Amino acid sequence: MIIDCHCHAGPGDGFTGPWDSGAPLRDYARRAAQAGIGRTVIFAAFHSDYGRANAEVARIVAAQPERWIGFVFVHAARDRGRIGELVRIGVEDHGFVGIKLHRHDANISREVCEAAREHALPVLYDVVGEVAQAELLAQEFPDVDFIVPHLGSFSDDWRAQRALIDPLVRHANIHADTSGVRRFDLLAEAVRRAGAHKLLFGSDGPWLHPGVELAKVRALGLSASDEALVTGGNLLRLTARARRRAAFTPAPADWRAGSARLGR
């Protein structure tokens, strides 16, 4: 099964651009189905209240749990002091299996990494070109898996993308996703040097076309086994412990109770 590891969903409330206005899934779902994508990791659009935004994502996942996989979105600065609770609610109440955050909001914190460690979750962290952070994260939290989207830069910073390949090669817990990478040769170099087990297919939907993003992975000319890793196997491996835990955690009588405990 092909799994897209990177898609936003639900309303935003900033209205400065598509990224914080809303991420409707209707067109994405149709395009993904046409491309043969069977499951998708979803997380909130940029939002002023990630507790509320995560609850919206949870509603989408609960309606089609066989289609959508949820990640908890957190703001490392604004949510300081309650990140552990946000993550716990995401895991225990919503069945989420990863953490998402963005340096556009705030720099990643030790609190985020410790929550990931506690719940055995991968962290999808957009470093916005500051790829040296991957080195620091790998050293400080060798038991936490990090996924750096866009091979390090959505803004087509080829220097940052090339620089990320080195920590991909050297650190077992550093991975990258393919979403929005325009310089195809850098994707080819990443998979050649670091191996197919270090790269995950992502689209950055619903704003980028998942079929177009998947075509880039197929154009790499990987063996069937390596392509299977990139297009789903690696995501399943990185979330395996969290998914096992979710399978044995009984669903609460009212999943909205988690949001209520945060005063939402």
Side-chain angles (χ1 to χ4, degrees):
M1 176 181 289
I2 299 173
I3 304 173
D4 180 349
C5 81
H6 188 143
C7 183
H8 298 265
D13 61 356
F15 304 109
T16 63
W19 49 87
D20 65 355
S21 299
L25 289 176
R26 184 186 63 182
D27 289 343
Y28 169 87
R30 173 177 52 80
R31 293 165 179 165
Q34 290 171 347
I37 298 166
R39 301 200 73 187
T40 300
V41 171
I42 59 172
F43 35 78
F46 285 108
H47 203 284
S48 65
D49 183 344
Y50 283 128
R52 181 175 298 171
N54 289 334
E56 293 293 333
V57 172
R59 290 187 181 95
I60 297 169
V61 173
Q64 288 185 285
E66 74 289 347
R67 178 66 187 86
W68 310 112
I69 302 167
F71 274 27
V72 183
F73 210 132
V74 298
H75 190 299
R78 190 178 61 220
D79 293 327
R80 183 177 294 119
R82 72 167 193 158
I83 286 173
E85 180 69 355
L86 280 170
V87 172
R88 188 193 64 75
I89 288 169
V91 170
E92 295 182 3
D93 291 7
H94 304 327
F96 290 174
V97 296
I99 298 174
K100 171 70 167 77
L101 71 161
H102 202 292
R103 202 174 68 85
H104 172 80
D105 280 339
N107 198 52
I108 194 170
S109 67
R110 188 171 292 273
E111 185 181 7
V112 173
C113 298
E114 289 172 349
R117 171 189 283 162
E118 178 181 353
H119 294 281
L121 305 176
V123 178
L124 183 68
Y125 173 47
D126 193 329
V127 300
V128 194
E130 292 292 333
V131 298
Q133 288 191 323
E135 190 77 27
L136 301 175
L137 293 169
Q139 293 173 355
E140 289 293 315
F141 293 92
D143 53 348
V144 175
D145 288 305
F146 297 93
I147 307 166
V148 181
H150 320 306
L151 196 62
S153 174
F154 184 77
S155 62
D156 198 30
D157 182 348
W158 66 270
R159 294 176 181 85
Q161 291 170 332
R162 171 154 284 144
L164 183 68
I165 296 174
D166 182 58
L168 275 181
V169 171
R170 293 187 297 104
H171 296 291
N173 63 329
I174 300 297
H175 308 77
D177 86 25
T178 64
S179 64
V181 179
R182 292 191 291 170
R183 297 184 183 272
F184 181 79
D185 287 346
L186 290 174
L187 278 181
E189 181 179 346
V191 76
R192 175 176 56 81
R193 291 180 54 196
H197 66 291
K198 302 302 290 295
L199 210 60
L200 287 78
F201 158 62
S203 74
D204 205 4
W207 305 301
L208 301 190
H209 194 301
V212 173
E213 295 298 304
L214 180 59
K216 294 188 305 188
V217 173
R218 288 177 166 157
L220 289 169
L222 303 175
S223 68
S225 58
D226 280 352
E227 184 172 301
L229 289 178
V230 176
T231 58
N234 292 331
L235 186 280
L236 292 176
R237 171 173 53 84
L238 296 180
T239 59
R241 286 185 293 169
R243 289 184 295 106
R244 282 197 298 269
R245 181 179 296 180
F248 290 99
T249 301
D254 183 356
W255 62 265
R256 288 181 296 274
S259 297
R261 285 197 293 275
L262 283 175
R264 304 299 171 199

